[in-house]
């Protein structure tokens, strides 16, 4: 079992050891999490996973920082406008916690490139904003039997579930068709709402890795950050799902 560097890390995580225990902290240290998307949602998740001491983070997100990112993408900053998002994010996370190994890819989620990242991960956080990438990631997770936290937000609304391939519904069970009305660029978002969704996603990953608490596997949680109304519903697999159903496995 990988050791927590000579007590230095135990001191760093002292306040959460009471919640997770030393075994839980070691499990985090041994874990690899793929965070697909480091915008308002995924960037917040990555920040808290790094702070919590996940041993290795694999991050994927393409492009450069533009001004409209800065209302929510808290790994980015004004000084780095026009520069690559990923290198800025990796530097920020290393600054936060040098004990975390961080692998950053300035890339979209494509089946051939993302497969080794999914394979290396104990759990994946889907924080992409567009459905083609979400579907590609979902298919990889089902194929490689890797759990995936499916976190999304739109306006003030947040939704979250955790996909355990073969046990709980996958993204295509829930949304069998591409969502044509989805507006990938320019959708409404307030940073605090995206950050709340990111915190929930990070918590799901921590719970899954440490075994503390109960995840939203097989449950869809919906939350309004405007009036704090929330509800959870049990969700079922679609036996005819084109991704995870009988004969439909990719
Ligand atoms: Zn499915």
């Amino acid at each position: 079992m990988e050791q927590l560097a000579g007590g230095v890390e135990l001191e760093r995580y002292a306040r959460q050891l009471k919640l997770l225990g030393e075994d839980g902290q070691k499990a985090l240290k041994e874990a690899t999490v793929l965070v697909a998307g480091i915008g308002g949602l995924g960037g917040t998740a990555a920040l808290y996973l790094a702070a919590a001491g996940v041993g290795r983070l694999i991050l994927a997100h393409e492009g450069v920082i533009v001004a409209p990112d800065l209302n929510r993408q808290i790994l980015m900053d004004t000084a780095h406008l026009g520069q690559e998002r990923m290198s800025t994010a990796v530097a920020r996370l290393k600054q936060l916690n040098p004990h975390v190994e961080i692998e950053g890819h300035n890339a979209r989620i494509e089946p051939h490139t993302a497969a080794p990242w999914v394979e290396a991960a104990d759990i994946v956080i889907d924080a992409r904003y567009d459905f083609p990438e979400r579907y590609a990631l979902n298919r990889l997770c089902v194929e490689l039997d890797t759990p995936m936290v499916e976190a999304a937000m739109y306006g003030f609304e947040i939704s979250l579930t955790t996909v355990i391939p073969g046990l709980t519904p996958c993204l295509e069970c829930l949304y069998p068709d591409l969502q044509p009305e989805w507006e990938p660029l320019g959708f409404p978002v307030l940073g605090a709402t995206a950050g709340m969704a990111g915190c929930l996603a990070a918590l799901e990953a921590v719970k899954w890795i440490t075994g503390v608490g109960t995840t939203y596997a097989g449950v869809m949680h919906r939350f309004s950050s405007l009036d704090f109304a929330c509800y959870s519903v049990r969700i079922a697999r679609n036996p005819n799902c084109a991704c995870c159903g009988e004969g439909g496995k990719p």
Side-chain angles (χ1 to χ4, degrees), residues 138 142 168-174 237-238 241-245:
N138 179 64
V142 169
T168 70
C170 79
L171 182 64
E172 282 192 52
C173 288
L174 302 172
R237 288 179 70 195
N238 173 6
C241 174
C243 177
C244 75

Side-chain angles (χ1 to χ4, degrees), residues 99-124:
H99 301 287
V100 180
E101 183 188 335
I102 301 169
E103 179 184 321
H105 300 276
N106 178 27
R108 289 171 55 81
I109 298 296
E110 306 281 359
H112 57 291
T113 48
W117 310 335
V118 173
E119 197 158 24
D122 295 290
I123 188 165
V124 169

